[in-house]
Amino acid sequence: MIAPYGGSLISLFDDVAGADRLPSIQLSERSRCDLELLATGGFSPLDRFLARADYERVVAEMRLANGTLFPIPVTLPVSDDAPVAQGRDVALRNAQNEILGVMTVEEIFERIDETPVFGTRDTRHPLVAEMRGWGRRCVSGPLRVVSVGTPWDFRELRRTPAEVRALLAARGRENVVAFQTRNPMHRAHEELTKRAIEALDAILLLHPAVGMTKPGDVDHATRVRTYKALTETYYAPERVLLSLLPLAMRMAGPREALWHAIIRRNFGATHFIVGRDHASPGPFYGPYDAQELLVQHEDEVGVEMVPFRELVYVVEEDRYEEASAVPPHAATRSISGTQVRDDYLGKGEPLPAWFTRPEIAAILTESHPPKHRQGFCVWFTGLSGAGKSTTGEIVVSRLLEHGRQVTLLDGDVVRTHLSKGLGFSKEDRDANILRIGFVAAEIVRHGGAVVCAAVSPYRATRDRVREMVGADRFVEVFVDTPLDVCEARDKKGMYAQARRGAIKNFTGIDDPYEPPLSAELTIETTATTPEANAGRIVELLRERGWVLLR
Ligand code: ADP
Ligand code: ADP
């Protein structure tokens, strides 16, 4: 078996008696994933989150302070108020507040500009964007770990480097070729992995990243179902090992490819497949930059790269081939990931058999219903009496008429149960809106339609709700009725009471209303009827594909 990178597998498991009395910090899911790979040896030779000297040299030169090649800074950023002090122990907790381990803090240091790692400052790069929200300081020091908080799904496929090595050793084959993926596998991927298996007389270590991948990727549970179906039906069982990797990807393209190879060596791989656009989140790297970088460092990493150019389907010959090897005038086909989502799954079109195996198509279809069966949220905002409920009720009726089940979360109604007891202070108002937002997000996540009608006067809070629901499923409708009109309507007699001072903090009277800056739709209600406004909203929903008007 190939030796781990750096010679031996790191293990950080140890006793942490008394950890419950220590100050503690809560790890993000990203840091928890990193801790898992540190503790089990996936990041060997790292035995801790990077110390300052290692960190700075990794960023600048892809090397630890001692010269060892290591391309990605695995650091532990902490919030500015984290209870950390040099020389002191701090407990590390997961999102559920369970203690995962203890760090003896040896160093606290400022983060530096990590542009060399990503090759860009562009915030369209998901990690560049995410890092803006990280704390400015990192901590490092020896770790004692009791638990890595491994998720419970697909436990039988979640294995440590030592476990994978033991299974591979039992198979008794010299070559192990690893395949990294964060997407469902289609016939092109099947073809290239099978080519690698054959050419190297190897076992395939099918090693999907199931920590964090690119936002918007197919969820890992769906992906794992496809990997299971594929390996069970289409690979010789003795030539494939499916195992899940709890990696929080950085989407750093070339540097990430190097990192992936190092990690797979720790899991026992001798070879590593790199195709087009490896770990690339968009137009930041050349399609084969990752191959070029890995080739330069292959000897040092000790893992041989198995490069592939793009594979396409050759129609005449009913097979896959590297685009460069296809005869000049032969017809070829391919479907991008975006097309899979928008042109096939989103429209309820079946994925063609030349593109993917029927088992995979069935799983993807099941977990990605067509747009008109996906969830969305219509969020009305505006002054009291503006016409949110009136218009919202008509929208709900129209949607019902067109075959969508809808939940209406009306601010006044919600305050009688979900938000019972909350008043109208800024805190209580925010709590109310965030509760409605939480419920709306759950409804949308499960494919439901929800219409929310609450004053929701504060822009920042509405934006948080937009974030919770998902910006691409959120339709903000500003009911732009002037205050004097609302006051004249005074359906509930509230304005009169507010003017008398009998109720306080009334929006528009003695509490501000912050109009949306970029609502999806603005309606006015002095010259337009509620029916006409509801019609415009339903039309917008139809255009976006959420309603089929039959
Ligand atoms: P959850 O909602 O997380 O399932 P609960 O609301 O029941 O759990 O409890 C929250 C936490 O408090 C859990 O860690 C649970 O184990 C603990 N807990 C609840 N009731 C008791 C109890 N009677 N004795 C000890 N621990 C408890
Ligand atoms: P909100 O939910 O925004 O507090 P409501 O819908 O409860 O407001 O109240 C709006 C009042 O204004 C209702 O009495 C409604 O009949 C009246 N109204 C008059 N014209 C319109 C219009 N074009 N759109 C909506 N409501 C209108």
Side-chain angles (χ1 to χ4, degrees):
M1 210 75 269
I2 187 172
Y5 189 60
S8 59
L9 271 188
I10 299 294
S11 171
L12 302 178
F13 291 96
D14 202 351
D15 182 36
V16 295
D20 50 344
R21 290 189 297 274
L22 294 173
S24 66
I25 52 182
Q26 198 173 43
L27 299 188
S28 64
E29 179 54 17
R30 178 174 301 286
S31 295
R32 192 207 61 77
C33 287
D34 287 352
L35 182 73
E36 182 165 359
L37 284 174
L38 283 170
T40 57
F43 288 155
S44 302
L46 301 192
D47 64 355
R48 65 191 62 193
F49 291 99
L50 293 185
R52 177 192 221 132
D54 289 325
Y55 166 60
E56 292 182 354
R57 191 160 176 205
V58 163
V59 170
E61 300 172 51
M62 306 202 304
R63 290 185 187 280
L64 303 174
N66 69 9
T68 305
L69 184 74
F70 204 91
I72 296 286
V74 177
T75 53
L76 181 56
V78 294
S79 61
D80 294 348
D81 59 357
V84 290
Q86 211 165 340
R88 295 282 177 78
D89 282 356
V90 64
L92 309 178
R93 296 177 186 269
N94 66 6
Q96 292 75 38
N97 276 320
E98 293 154 352
I99 292 174
L100 302 181
V102 171
M103 176 191 286
T104 303
V105 178
E106 278 185 359
E107 292 186 22
I108 304 175
F109 55 92
E110 296 274 317
R111 287 173 48 217
I112 58 172
D113 177 14
E114 293 182 21
T115 304
V117 177
F118 301 97
T120 178
R121 290 189 162 79
D122 193 327
T123 52
R124 281 172 300 175
H125 188 293
L127 240 287
V128 174
E130 183 189 311
M131 286 193 307
R132 295 194 151 195
W134 293 3
R136 282 170 304 166
R137 299 177 305 163
C138 295
V139 292
S140 176
L143 292 164
R144 286 170 288 147
V145 175
V146 269
S147 156
V148 286
T150 306
W152 291 98
D153 58 339
F154 303 111
R155 266 282 166 114
E156 72 284 5
L157 297 176
R158 296 179 181 270
R159 302 187 187 94
T160 65
E163 288 166 344
V164 170
R165 283 174 162 270
L167 288 174
L168 290 172
R171 305 274 184 102
R173 229 173 254 272
E174 200 171 315
N175 287 340
V176 175
V177 59
F179 183 62
Q180 137 79 27
T181 176
R182 48 172 260 270
N183 280 306
M185 284 174 72
H186 303 299
R187 289 192 55 188
H189 312 104
E190 181 184 330
E191 174 69 23
L192 65 84
T193 51
K194 284 184 172 169
R195 284 188 185 199
I197 292 174
E198 284 312 312
L200 299 164
D201 189 28
I203 294 187
L204 175 70
L205 172 59
L206 182 54
H207 214 197
V210 296
M212 302 171 74
T213 62
K214 190 183 134 187
D217 280 348
V218 174
D219 66 282
H220 79 268
T222 301
R223 288 192 288 119
V224 175
R225 292 174 64 211
T226 67
Y227 306 139
K228 283 179 74 166
L230 194 70
T231 51
E232 282 163 11
T233 315
Y234 295 101
Y235 288 73
E238 70 282 6
R239 299 297 284 277
V240 64
L241 177 64
L242 169 61
S243 208
L244 310 186
L245 180 69
L247 179 68
M249 292 180 67
R250 272 47 170 190
M251 305 307 300
R255 279 198 186 212
E256 179 122 1
L258 264 184
W259 193 43
H260 287 175
I262 289 171
I263 295 165
R264 270 45 180 238
R265 174 167 170 182
N266 288 328
F267 280 85
T270 54
H271 293 74
F272 183 60
I273 295 173
V274 182
R276 219 195 112 125
D277 289 322
H278 192 96
S280 168
F284 303 104
Y285 317 109
Y288 299 104
D289 287 1
Q291 293 184 355
E292 277 172 34
L293 189 71
L294 185 46
V295 139
Q296 284 169 34
H297 299 281
E298 225 175 8
D299 291 346
E300 233 174 321
V301 173
V303 171
E304 210 173 302
M305 179 175 72
V306 183
F308 279 98
R309 309 300 275 195
E310 190 184 4
L311 284 171
V312 293
Y313 178 70
V314 186
V315 181
E316 284 286 282
E317 300 170 34
D318 183 28
R319 65 185 186 90
Y320 278 82
E321 186 51 85
E322 290 195 78
S324 54
V326 174
H329 300 294
T332 62
R333 284 183 193 155
S334 62
I335 303 180
S336 73
T338 317
Q339 287 173 316
V340 168
R341 203 181 51 219
D342 297 348
D343 299 350
Y344 289 89
L345 300 175
K347 293 186 177 151
E349 287 285 323
L351 285 164
W354 65 262
F355 174 71
T356 200
R357 297 290 187 180
E359 292 84 351
I360 310 309
I363 292 169
L364 293 177
T365 305
E366 190 186 313
S367 60
H368 293 81
K371 195 80 190 277
H372 67 274
R373 287 201 279 117
Q374 294 177 15
F376 66 90
C377 170
V378 177
W379 187 278
F380 286 94
T381 175
L383 296 171
S384 175
K388 303 180 294 299
S389 306
T390 306
T391 315
E393 276 170 28
I394 303 174
V395 169
V396 169
S397 309
R398 293 273 183 280
L399 290 173
L400 287 171
E401 288 169 9
H402 294 296
R404 289 226 58 151
Q405 305 296 313
V406 195
T407 296
L408 177 62
L409 297 175
D410 186 285
D412 288 314
V413 180
V414 166
R415 280 181 175 277
T416 66
H417 42 78
L418 182 65
S419 290
K420 193 170 179 177
L422 291 183
F424 290 87
S425 65
K426 171 123 184 26
E427 290 70 36
D428 280 9
R429 281 172 178 254
D430 281 347
N432 179 41
I433 296 306
L434 294 175
R435 285 182 198 180
I436 297 175
F438 175 83
V439 175
E442 285 299 305
I443 291 171
V444 169
R445 203 160 67 82
H446 291 287
V450 59
V451 173
C452 304
V455 177
S456 45
Y458 308 124
R459 197 176 291 134
T461 318
R462 291 194 303 266
D463 287 345
R464 275 179 70 189
V465 172
R466 176 185 290 271
E467 198 70 18
M468 286 159 75
V469 170
D472 57 340
R473 292 163 186 279
F474 191 76
V475 176
E476 188 173 2
V477 178
F478 175 31
V479 186
D480 188 10
T481 308
L483 177 65
D484 56 335
V485 176
C486 295
E487 194 166 358
R489 288 178 185 165
D490 207 10
K491 194 170 122 180
K492 303 163 206 160
M494 305 270 269
Y495 284 96
Q497 292 183 56
R499 289 289 181 200
R500 283 202 310 273
I503 44 180
K504 296 274 176 237
N505 301 328
F506 196 78
T507 303
I509 306 299
D510 56 350
D511 205 66
Y513 178 81
E514 301 167 359
L517 297 176
S518 50
E520 276 69 16
L521 198 64
T522 297
I523 59 177
E524 74 80 45
T525 67
T526 54
T528 317
T529 64
E531 289 88 342
N533 280 327
R536 280 182 69 197
I537 295 166
V538 173
E539 175 54 19
L540 181 89
L541 300 175
R542 192 196 60 78
E543 278 166 21
R544 303 237 172 142
W546 285 308
V547 205
L548 287 180
L549 295 194
R550 283 180 264 255

